[in-house]
Amino acid sequence: MLLDAASLYFRAYYGVPESVTAPDGTPVNAVRGFCDMVARLLVDRRPTRLVACLDLDWRPAFRVEALPSYKAHRVAGNESGVAPVGVPEEVPDTLAPQVPVLLEVLAAVGIATAGAEGHEADDVIGTLVEAERSDKVLVVSGDRDLMQCVRDEPTPVRMVYVGRGLAKAETLGPAEVAAKYGLPVARAGQAYAEMAMLRGDPSDGLPGVPGIGAKTAATLVGRFGSWEELRAAVTDRGDRRLSPPVRTKLAAAAPYLAVVEPVVRVALDAPVRLSGDDTVPPVPVDPERLEALTERWGLSGPVDRLRAALPGSR
C-alpha cells in the first residue's frame, strides 16, 4: 500500500475540526485524522507492506521548465500566474507544524516513508509501482492524476480513490477507470494521463487544449494507440481519425502538446529513498518514543487505534 501522504493529511486537516488540540493548545487535527485513516486502511485492507510517500518538492523544476504555469497559482502570495521554482506552497499556518509530528509518529510506529529529491509524491508512487514485481499494489490518494498508475500486469495496481472521503472510497483498476471516463481498458492508466493532457486541469495550472473537453479528449485518446501516434496525426492530414475542426484545435496547441507529457505523467525513475523496511510491523518499533509523542500531543485515541490495527495486535 502506497499512501499519497500530503493528499491524506490535507484531507485530515479539513475533515477534523481545528479545535482538536494538544494539551498546550496546539492544533493536532491533521495528525489525529491521518492516524485514524491509516488505522482504518490497515484494518480494512490488511496490507503486508506500507509506505507513506512524501512531497520533497511539490513543484519540481523539470515540470516548471516545461510549463511555467504548473501550480503557479498555489504559490503563497502569487497572483501573476507564473512563479519561481523553490518557493513554498501556500499551506495553512496550523497545518505546517503538524507534519513533522506526524512523521515522528510514523517513525515510532515503524511505518516506512519515502521521498525523492526534486520530485513529488506522485513520482515516488509511480517509481515504486514501476519497480514492483511481487505484490499487488494499492495506491491511496484523493488525487485523480494517480489513476494513471492502474494496471493488471506485471503485478496488479489498483487505486483507492478517497476524493469523497475514506468512507466513500472507490477501488479502481483498469476496467473501472476505463468505464468511468470512456477510455480503452487495455491501456486505461496511460490513456487517463493522455486525456488529462488534452482536457487540462485548472487546479494544477494545466491549460489543456482550448475547445477540447473531457468527453472529446477521451474519444480522441481511444482512437490512438499512444500519445506519439495522436500527436503525429495532427500534422498528417490524411489521418481521418481527426476531424478538421479538432485537428485545427490541436495544431493551434502544438507548443503545449510538445511539452506537457512529462508534466502530467508520473516519473518512473525518481531517486526514491525509503526510510527503512516497508513491512508493516506487528507492533510499534519504538513504543517508548510513541508513548512520549502520544502524551506530548494528546494523541491517545488515534495512536491506540493505530496500534490496535497492527497485525500483532489483532
Side-chain angles (χ1 to χ4, degrees):
M1 179 174 282
L2 302 175
L3 306 178
D4 181 358
S7 174
L8 298 185
Y9 64 62
F10 264 96
R11 289 176 186 280
Y13 176 79
Y14 288 111
V16 178
E18 199 173 319
S19 56
V20 175
T21 61
D24 66 358
T26 304
V28 288
N29 52 324
V31 181
R32 294 177 66 95
F34 188 95
C35 288
D36 278 335
M37 286 183 186
V38 175
R40 181 164 180 178
L41 287 165
L42 286 169
V43 170
D44 291 350
R45 306 283 179 162
R46 303 210 170 190
T48 56
R49 298 162 59 199
L50 178 65
V51 183
C53 301
L54 310 175
D55 274 326
L56 296 191
D57 190 337
W58 69 278
R59 194 168 179 260
F62 71 91
R63 289 195 168 101
V64 177
E65 287 168 6
L67 194 68
S69 64
Y70 181 65
K71 294 186 178 179
H73 61 293
R74 300 191 199 177
V75 176
N78 177 61
E79 298 177 354
S80 67
V82 177
V85 183
V87 295
E89 183 175 16
E90 192 165 15
V91 177
D93 291 342
T94 52
L95 171 58
Q98 296 188 55
V99 178
V101 177
L102 173 58
L103 295 179
E104 284 192 81
V105 170
L106 293 178
V109 173
I111 293 174
T113 57
E117 290 295 333
H119 290 77
E120 300 176 65
D122 288 17
D123 301 313
V124 176
I125 289 170
T127 298
L128 293 175
V129 163
E130 176 69 10
E132 186 57 42
R133 291 296 182 271
S134 59
D135 291 330
K136 175 181 177 179
V137 180
L138 290 176
V139 174
V140 184
S141 177
D143 184 351
R144 292 180 300 172
D145 290 345
L146 285 167
M147 290 181 190
Q148 67 182 279
C149 293
V150 300
R151 72 183 189 199
D152 285 327
E153 300 292 343
T155 52
V157 178
R158 302 292 183 261
M159 181 178 183
V160 180
Y161 178 62
V162 296
R164 296 187 301 156
L166 193 54
K168 297 180 179 179
E170 300 174 78
T171 302
L172 306 172
E176 291 78 16
V177 170
K180 194 176 185 72
Y181 295 101
L183 299 169
V185 68
R187 60 184 206 93
Q190 292 180 358
Y192 181 86
E194 293 161 17
M195 180 189 72
M197 295 179 214
L198 295 172
R199 176 198 64 200
D201 186 348
S203 69
D204 281 340
L206 198 68
V209 177
I212 301 293
K215 289 185 178 179
T216 301
T219 299
L220 289 174
V221 167
R223 292 176 182 169
F224 297 90
S226 69
W227 180 246
E228 293 74 18
E229 190 180 321
L230 188 157
R231 285 191 59 208
V234 177
T235 56
D236 181 0
R237 295 189 176 278
D239 194 321
R240 296 179 179 272
R241 290 174 291 182
L242 294 180
S243 68
V246 168
R247 178 176 280 112
T248 298
K249 292 173 183 176
L250 295 175
Y256 165 76
L257 296 178
V259 301
V260 69
E261 187 172 14
V263 179
V264 173
R265 292 206 198 272
V266 296
L268 305 179
D269 57 355
V272 175
R273 297 185 64 179
L274 278 158
S275 63
D277 185 3
D278 65 9
T279 302
V280 176
V283 295
V285 298
D286 191 344
E288 292 183 2
R289 179 60 181 155
L290 184 59
E291 186 58 36
L293 289 167
T294 300
E295 184 175 350
R296 166 70 178 83
W297 298 106
L299 302 173
S300 58
V303 168
D304 286 348
R305 289 186 284 274
L306 184 52
R307 187 187 290 110
L310 297 175
S313 302
R314 293 174 193 155

